[in-house]
Amino acid sequence: MAKKEYSFYPGCSSQKKASADNYLRSTYSMCDALDIKLNEIDDWNCCGASIGYAGGGEVPRIALSARNVALSAQQNPDQDLVATCAACWLSTREAQERIEENDKVREGVNAALDEIGLKIEGEQPKARHMVEALIEDIGFDELASGVQKPLEGIKIAGYVGCQTNRPFGIAGESFENPKYLDHMIESMGAQAVDRYDKKVACCSGALMFSEPEKGHALVKDIIEAAYDGGADMIVTPCPLCQMNVESYQKEINKTFKTKFEMPVVYYSQLISVAYGKSAKESALDGQIIPVKQLEDVTNK
């Protein structure tokens, strides 16, 4: 029996061949090393985050997340609902709060769910980001104790971004200078960039698609600050942050005459590599910008 067991909501971006396919693969690899069992919610759906940009309305958007919550409670009772995507986590948390606090929203959502034989009732599963589960249920000391291949000599900028920082954040962390990624980096034997001043800056989110010139300027500052701190790579807990900061570097270089080639990885990849998993198991093959230093660790 696994040490920990969670109801798991992977989210759209982590589907096979989607933008965060490497996040999902490395998460399963990390959880295997940590003896964590993820029970994926059967027939889960989009959290509805994108509908907010399209003006789809509150109840339809919240009903999408509520369906996942209801399915989680039905399929995996008494298990916390864990998401790896920051947007999925936020949407689920928001849906739960709105349903609990507003009778009209609750009635509207349940009316929608009634059409498919579901209902939000009783105590809902606690929605958590994967990093919450790692920090609160396992802890940095225990994470460090399982390291087989320390990431020594690697300096990493912990880019938290804005979605896992506000409005809910990680319990006990500063909104201005959250340290959990720094501690996670250090627990894997690497060095965290001190005073990374773009740690909680926005990557531009979906603005990157509609107004790329503004998005490029924001991402340029995030990468530049990492270089200024001497970072070899950036690590993040958010798939949209990872995609925006890694995949647009060529365009940014062309516009701003920079020479960025900064790898951007997930914390799950760091843990997977440090726990002795192969480059493939750690999904390093899913990077646009190769992460040679982590590949070297896997070959030791």
mmCIF file of all heavy atoms in Angstrom, residues 4 11 13 17 51 67 88 108 142 151 157 162 168 191 201 215 228 230 265 268 270 276 280 282 288 292 295:
data_model
loop_
_atom_site.group_PDB
_atom_site.id
_atom_site.type_symbol
_atom_site.label_atom_id
_atom_site.label_comp_id
_atom_site.label_asym_id
_atom_site.label_seq_id
_atom_site.Cartn_x
_atom_site.Cartn_y
_atom_site.Cartn_z
ATOM 1 N N LYS A 4 1.058 7.529 0.563
ATOM 2 C CA LYS A 4 0.047 8.571 0.383
ATOM 3 C C LYS A 4 -0.790 8.238 -0.846
ATOM 4 O O LYS A 4 -0.303 7.637 -1.806
ATOM 5 C CB LYS A 4 0.702 9.942 0.186
ATOM 6 C CG LYS A 4 1.661 10.369 1.286
ATOM 7 C CD LYS A 4 0.933 10.719 2.562
ATOM 8 C CE LYS A 4 1.942 11.154 3.631
ATOM 9 N NZ LYS A 4 1.268 11.402 4.923
ATOM 10 N N GLY A 11 -5.640 17.732 -15.612
ATOM 11 C CA GLY A 11 -5.891 18.944 -16.386
ATOM 12 C C GLY A 11 -5.529 18.805 -17.858
ATOM 13 O O GLY A 11 -4.764 17.932 -18.260
ATOM 14 N N SER A 13 -3.743 20.544 -20.096
ATOM 15 C CA SER A 13 -2.411 20.752 -20.652
ATOM 16 C C SER A 13 -1.494 19.546 -20.455
ATOM 17 O O SER A 13 -0.468 19.425 -21.123
ATOM 18 C CB SER A 13 -1.765 22.000 -20.044
ATOM 19 O OG SER A 13 -1.583 21.851 -18.653
ATOM 20 N N LYS A 17 0.862 14.400 -25.450
ATOM 21 C CA LYS A 17 1.282 15.276 -26.548
ATOM 22 C C LYS A 17 0.768 16.714 -26.406
ATOM 23 O O LYS A 17 0.887 17.514 -27.335
ATOM 24 C CB LYS A 17 0.876 14.689 -27.906
ATOM 25 C CG LYS A 17 1.579 13.378 -28.215
ATOM 26 C CD LYS A 17 1.293 12.901 -29.624
ATOM 27 C CE LYS A 17 2.043 11.606 -29.908
ATOM 28 N NZ LYS A 17 1.789 11.092 -31.272
ATOM 29 N N ILE A 51 -12.735 29.798 -20.096
ATOM 30 C CA ILE A 51 -14.047 30.396 -20.332
ATOM 31 C C ILE A 51 -14.116 31.796 -19.723
ATOM 32 O O ILE A 51 -14.823 32.678 -20.210
ATOM 33 C CB ILE A 51 -15.166 29.505 -19.742
ATOM 34 C CG1 ILE A 51 -15.257 28.209 -20.537
ATOM 35 C CG2 ILE A 51 -16.518 30.217 -19.759
ATOM 36 C CD1 ILE A 51 -16.301 27.250 -20.027
ATOM 37 N N ARG A 67 -18.176 19.723 -11.484
ATOM 38 C CA ARG A 67 -18.340 18.359 -11.985
ATOM 39 C C ARG A 67 -17.133 17.501 -11.590
ATOM 40 O O ARG A 67 -17.286 16.355 -11.151
ATOM 41 C CB ARG A 67 -18.511 18.361 -13.504
ATOM 42 C CG ARG A 67 -18.685 16.964 -14.094
ATOM 43 C CD ARG A 67 -18.891 17.024 -15.615
ATOM 44 N NE ARG A 67 -19.063 15.672 -16.173
ATOM 45 C CZ ARG A 67 -18.050 14.895 -16.550
ATOM 46 N NH1 ARG A 67 -16.798 15.332 -16.442
ATOM 47 N NH2 ARG A 67 -18.284 13.680 -17.029
ATOM 48 N N CYS A 88 -5.940 24.947 -12.926
ATOM 49 C CA CYS A 88 -6.919 23.937 -12.496
ATOM 50 C C CYS A 88 -7.134 24.016 -10.984
ATOM 51 O O CYS A 88 -8.262 23.918 -10.500
ATOM 52 C CB CYS A 88 -6.444 22.543 -12.870
ATOM 53 S SG CYS A 88 -6.393 22.221 -14.640
ATOM 54 N N GLY A 108 -27.598 27.035 -8.919
ATOM 55 C CA GLY A 108 -27.377 27.017 -10.365
ATOM 56 C C GLY A 108 -26.462 25.885 -10.788
ATOM 57 O O GLY A 108 -26.718 25.195 -11.786
ATOM 58 N N GLU A 142 12.069 15.091 4.636
ATOM 59 C CA GLU A 142 11.837 13.756 4.086
ATOM 60 C C GLU A 142 12.125 13.723 2.592
ATOM 61 O O GLU A 142 12.642 12.732 2.073
ATOM 62 C CB GLU A 142 10.409 13.295 4.366
ATOM 63 C CG GLU A 142 10.184 11.820 4.031
ATOM 64 C CD GLU A 142 8.826 11.298 4.457
ATOM 65 O OE1 GLU A 142 8.211 11.888 5.377
ATOM 66 O OE2 GLU A 142 8.377 10.294 3.864
ATOM 67 N N LEU A 151 21.769 17.237 -6.839
ATOM 68 C CA LEU A 151 21.947 18.151 -7.970
ATOM 69 C C LEU A 151 23.023 19.185 -7.636
ATOM 70 O O LEU A 151 22.825 20.399 -7.774
ATOM 71 C CB LEU A 151 20.620 18.825 -8.312
ATOM 72 C CG LEU A 151 19.416 17.897 -8.518
ATOM 73 C CD1 LEU A 151 18.184 18.699 -8.924
ATOM 74 C CD2 LEU A 151 19.712 16.818 -9.558
ATOM 75 N N ALA A 157 16.794 29.114 -10.409
ATOM 76 C CA ALA A 157 15.870 30.185 -10.034
ATOM 77 C C ALA A 157 14.480 29.594 -9.833
ATOM 78 O O ALA A 157 13.919 29.009 -10.764
ATOM 79 C CB ALA A 157 15.833 31.264 -11.115
ATOM 80 N N CYS A 162 2.468 33.870 -10.545
ATOM 81 C CA CYS A 162 1.416 34.529 -9.764
ATOM 82 C C CYS A 162 0.267 33.605 -9.378
ATOM 83 O O CYS A 162 -0.393 33.817 -8.364
ATOM 84 C CB CYS A 162 0.876 35.747 -10.515
ATOM 85 S SG CYS A 162 0.260 35.419 -12.174
ATOM 86 N N PHE A 168 -4.874 32.218 -3.210
ATOM 87 C CA PHE A 168 -4.844 31.249 -2.113
ATOM 88 C C PHE A 168 -3.440 31.051 -1.570
ATOM 89 O O PHE A 168 -3.230 30.976 -0.372
ATOM 90 C CB PHE A 168 -5.426 29.905 -2.581
ATOM 91 C CG PHE A 168 -6.811 30.010 -3.116
ATOM 92 C CD1 PHE A 168 -7.096 29.769 -4.447
ATOM 93 C CD2 PHE A 168 -7.854 30.382 -2.283
ATOM 94 C CE1 PHE A 168 -8.388 29.877 -4.944
ATOM 95 C CE2 PHE A 168 -9.153 30.490 -2.770
ATOM 96 C CZ PHE A 168 -9.421 30.236 -4.095
ATOM 97 N N GLN A 191 21.500 24.637 -5.636
ATOM 98 C CA GLN A 191 21.548 25.949 -4.987
ATOM 99 C C GLN A 191 20.445 26.828 -5.559
ATOM 100 O O GLN A 191 20.307 26.946 -6.784
ATOM 101 C CB GLN A 191 22.913 26.603 -5.219
ATOM 102 C CG GLN A 191 23.045 27.991 -4.581
ATOM 103 C CD GLN A 191 24.352 28.678 -4.922
ATOM 104 O OE1 GLN A 191 25.240 28.080 -5.545
ATOM 105 N NE2 GLN A 191 24.494 29.926 -4.529
ATOM 106 N N ALA A 201 6.520 37.325 -10.481
ATOM 107 C CA ALA A 201 6.037 38.146 -11.597
ATOM 108 C C ALA A 201 5.144 37.316 -12.518
ATOM 109 O O ALA A 201 5.287 36.104 -12.627
ATOM 110 C CB ALA A 201 7.215 38.702 -12.385
ATOM 111 N N GLY A 215 3.542 40.177 -23.792
ATOM 112 C CA GLY A 215 3.954 38.947 -23.140
ATOM 113 C C GLY A 215 5.455 38.737 -23.226
ATOM 114 O O GLY A 215 6.104 38.351 -22.248
ATOM 115 N N ASP A 228 20.728 37.155 -14.156
ATOM 116 C CA ASP A 228 21.404 38.086 -13.238
ATOM 117 C C ASP A 228 21.768 37.407 -11.921
ATOM 118 O O ASP A 228 22.767 37.754 -11.278
ATOM 119 C CB ASP A 228 20.510 39.298 -12.953
ATOM 120 C CG ASP A 228 20.391 40.238 -14.155
ATOM 121 O OD1 ASP A 228 21.199 40.096 -15.102
ATOM 122 O OD2 ASP A 228 19.485 41.090 -14.154
ATOM 123 N N GLY A 230 22.648 34.351 -11.684
ATOM 124 C CA GLY A 230 23.589 33.272 -11.958
ATOM 125 C C GLY A 230 22.939 31.922 -12.181
ATOM 126 O O GLY A 230 23.610 30.882 -12.096
ATOM 127 N N VAL A 265 12.194 24.085 -16.243
ATOM 128 C CA VAL A 265 11.745 22.741 -15.872
ATOM 129 C C VAL A 265 10.699 22.796 -14.761
ATOM 130 O O VAL A 265 10.454 23.849 -14.168
ATOM 131 C CB VAL A 265 12.936 21.862 -15.422
ATOM 132 C CG1 VAL A 265 13.962 21.742 -16.534
ATOM 133 C CG2 VAL A 265 13.586 22.423 -14.157
ATOM 134 N N SER A 268 8.841 18.616 -10.423
ATOM 135 C CA SER A 268 8.699 17.149 -10.517
ATOM 136 C C SER A 268 9.868 16.538 -11.273
ATOM 137 O O SER A 268 10.281 15.397 -10.992
ATOM 138 C CB SER A 268 7.379 16.780 -11.193
ATOM 139 O OG SER A 268 7.205 17.493 -12.400
ATOM 140 N N LEU A 270 12.971 17.878 -11.311
ATOM 141 C CA LEU A 270 14.115 17.957 -10.393
ATOM 142 C C LEU A 270 14.099 16.788 -9.422
ATOM 143 O O LEU A 270 15.118 16.121 -9.202
ATOM 144 C CB LEU A 270 14.079 19.270 -9.593
ATOM 145 C CG LEU A 270 14.295 20.590 -10.313
ATOM 146 C CD1 LEU A 270 14.356 21.714 -9.288
ATOM 147 C CD2 LEU A 270 15.561 20.567 -11.155
ATOM 148 N N GLY A 276 17.006 9.480 -8.768
ATOM 149 C CA GLY A 276 17.647 8.415 -9.518
ATOM 150 C C GLY A 276 16.915 7.929 -10.738
ATOM 151 O O GLY A 276 17.298 6.917 -11.349
ATOM 152 N N LYS A 280 14.557 9.838 -19.483
ATOM 153 C CA LYS A 280 13.247 9.615 -20.103
ATOM 154 C C LYS A 280 12.147 9.589 -19.049
ATOM 155 O O LYS A 280 11.081 10.176 -19.223
ATOM 156 C CB LYS A 280 13.254 8.307 -20.892
ATOM 157 C CG LYS A 280 11.976 8.091 -21.686
ATOM 158 C CD LYS A 280 12.078 6.882 -22.599
ATOM 159 C CE LYS A 280 10.803 6.731 -23.428
ATOM 160 N NZ LYS A 280 10.878 5.564 -24.346
ATOM 161 N N SER A 282 12.144 11.049 -16.284
ATOM 162 C CA SER A 282 12.013 12.418 -15.764
ATOM 163 C C SER A 282 11.484 13.374 -16.821
ATOM 164 O O SER A 282 11.368 14.579 -16.577
ATOM 165 C CB SER A 282 13.372 12.914 -15.259
ATOM 166 O OG SER A 282 13.906 12.033 -14.293
ATOM 167 N N ILE A 288 11.969 21.934 -24.835
ATOM 168 C CA ILE A 288 12.347 22.621 -26.074
ATOM 169 C C ILE A 288 13.823 23.005 -25.995
ATOM 170 O O ILE A 288 14.585 22.814 -26.935
ATOM 171 C CB ILE A 288 11.463 23.872 -26.295
ATOM 172 C CG1 ILE A 288 10.022 23.462 -26.552
ATOM 173 C CG2 ILE A 288 12.001 24.713 -27.464
ATOM 174 C CD1 ILE A 288 9.047 24.615 -26.617
ATOM 175 N N LYS A 292 20.958 20.099 -20.154
ATOM 176 C CA LYS A 292 22.130 19.229 -20.171
ATOM 177 C C LYS A 292 22.605 18.865 -18.765
ATOM 178 O O LYS A 292 23.023 17.727 -18.518
ATOM 179 C CB LYS A 292 23.263 19.891 -20.953
ATOM 180 C CG LYS A 292 24.445 18.942 -21.194
ATOM 181 C CD LYS A 292 25.500 19.565 -22.068
ATOM 182 C CE LYS A 292 26.611 18.561 -22.371
ATOM 183 N NZ LYS A 292 27.238 17.998 -21.170
ATOM 184 N N GLU A 295 20.505 16.112 -17.483
ATOM 185 C CA GLU A 295 20.801 14.908 -18.254
ATOM 186 C C GLU A 295 22.117 14.288 -17.773
ATOM 187 O O GLU A 295 22.232 13.061 -17.667
ATOM 188 C CB GLU A 295 20.888 15.242 -19.743
ATOM 189 C CG GLU A 295 19.532 15.609 -20.355
ATOM 190 C CD GLU A 295 19.665 16.100 -21.793
ATOM 191 O OE1 GLU A 295 20.810 16.246 -22.282
ATOM 192 O OE2 GLU A 295 18.617 16.363 -22.408
#
